[in-house]
Amino acid sequence: MNAPQPLTSPSASAAGAQLRQLRRQASLSQLDLALITGISQRHLSYIETGRARPSPSTLHALLMALEAPLEHCNSVFLAAGYAPRYGCAPLASPSLAAVRDAIGHVLHANNPAPAIALDSQWQVLAANASTAALFGLLELPVNALEGLNLLVTLLQPGGLGDQLLNAEEIRTVAWQRASREALANPDLARLLAELPAPACPPPMADESAPLVMTRIASAEGELSFLSTFTTFGMPLDITVAALRIEHLIPADAQTWRIMTQAHERSLKPCS
């Protein structure tokens, strides 16, 4: 006589526990997640308790609704007994040609404002002509962009952080953002551990400003920028999910004028 099969399989239970944790972190009830994904609340409850094994398509729908990092998604697929679903192609690979073209288009369109593409370790992957023009205004060599890590140069003494008029404010913001990202990124956590933390909380920001400005002392006067980010929607590759473009948008007329003139000068051929 065959022994009765357990209601809960080890793989389904492990995957269900991870899904339940992700749902709670997202502050969603089972009913909320069921409504978002179109899965019945009863079936979702069975998945979370390991009484039902989700299909790959159901698992994908749940993880996308929970906006889980793709690396974590792969671990959930493994826990459910499936192969990892999401790849990690090098940015230079042929499969990511459209992604590289999109990055180049966005960077170019941001001129005469500076813009840089960053990976998950804050490594600068590409920059537009106005970023080089900004380096010129700071009397820094253009080749200083090669191999530059934005987090390192902001936090380490002797880097770009020293050029900021509100250095401690920006360093604190960068440190806090990187610390949050490092919770799910061991490589970034190791990098952060090697860098000096901001000494103390900075003075309160100008309450009249809508957000924290990046203020830079240049050879032609003070520059003030707003910072915005562009990311790829609906990524299915870990490399693409980690990419972001930081835009430094001039926050006043003087900064627009200086950056426009600097960008135009950078386009003229050397005599």
Side-chain angles (χ1 to χ4, degrees):
M1 185 174 180
N2 293 330
Q5 294 297 314
L7 291 176
T8 302
S9 69
S11 62
S13 179
Q18 291 191 50
L19 286 170
R20 183 170 58 250
Q21 182 181 12
L22 287 168
R23 177 178 59 76
R24 290 174 174 172
Q25 288 175 348
S27 300
L28 293 174
S29 67
Q30 282 188 345
L31 179 58
D32 292 332
L33 185 56
L35 290 172
I36 292 170
T37 58
I39 298 168
S40 73
Q41 184 179 359
R42 181 180 181 183
H43 185 45
L44 177 57
S45 176
Y46 279 15
I47 290 172
E48 287 192 355
T49 56
R51 297 177 66 189
R53 183 188 186 211
S55 67
S57 59
T58 297
L59 204 50
H60 172 74
L62 290 168
L63 291 167
M64 292 301 99
L66 292 168
E67 298 183 349
L70 296 188
E71 297 96 325
H72 197 157
C73 292
N74 276 343
S75 72
V76 177
F77 270 90
L78 282 169
Y82 300 115
R85 182 184 181 96
Y86 309 102
C88 187
L91 186 57
S93 67
S95 63
L96 298 188
V99 172
R100 295 193 301 276
D101 289 345
I103 292 172
H105 172 77
V106 174
L107 291 175
H108 178 72
N110 208 68
N111 288 314
I116 55 175
L118 302 166
D119 66 11
S120 62
Q121 315 306 316
W122 294 53
Q123 196 71 28
V124 177
L125 303 175
N128 65 358
S130 292
T131 303
L134 175 60
F135 271 50
L137 290 172
L138 301 179
E139 300 180 349
L140 297 172
V142 174
N143 61 11
L145 280 166
E146 298 176 7
L148 185 69
N149 184 285
L150 183 60
L151 189 62
V152 172
T153 196
L154 285 175
L155 295 177
Q156 272 191 346
L160 286 178
D162 292 348
Q163 305 278 349
L164 302 177
L165 294 172
N166 58 335
E168 289 309 307
E169 187 175 32
I170 297 301
R171 282 171 170 149
T172 298
V173 170
W175 177 270
Q176 291 172 346
R177 179 181 298 150
S179 296
R180 289 193 299 270
E181 295 171 2
L183 295 175
N185 187 334
D187 291 335
L188 182 59
R190 284 189 286 272
L191 174 63
L192 200 60
E194 299 172 356
L195 297 173
C200 58
M204 288 289 289
D206 181 4
E207 293 183 2
S208 65
L211 44 80
V212 176
M213 306 287 181
T214 299
R215 297 171 50 232
I216 305 175
S218 81
E220 297 188 22
E222 179 178 334
L223 304 174
S224 183
F225 297 96
L226 310 173
S227 181
T228 66
F229 290 91
T230 295
T231 58
F232 285 91
M234 299 178 288
L236 296 176
D237 181 274
I238 293 170
T239 298
V240 178
L243 294 172
R244 65 181 185 268
I245 298 174
E246 181 170 8
H247 310 257
L248 291 178
I249 310 299
D252 53 46
Q254 172 174 290
T255 305
W256 272 116
R257 176 181 55 79
I258 293 174
M259 285 309 309
T260 299
Q261 292 173 349
H263 175 247
E264 290 173 348
R265 288 195 301 269
S266 71
L267 299 179
K268 294 179 180 177
C270 297
S271 56

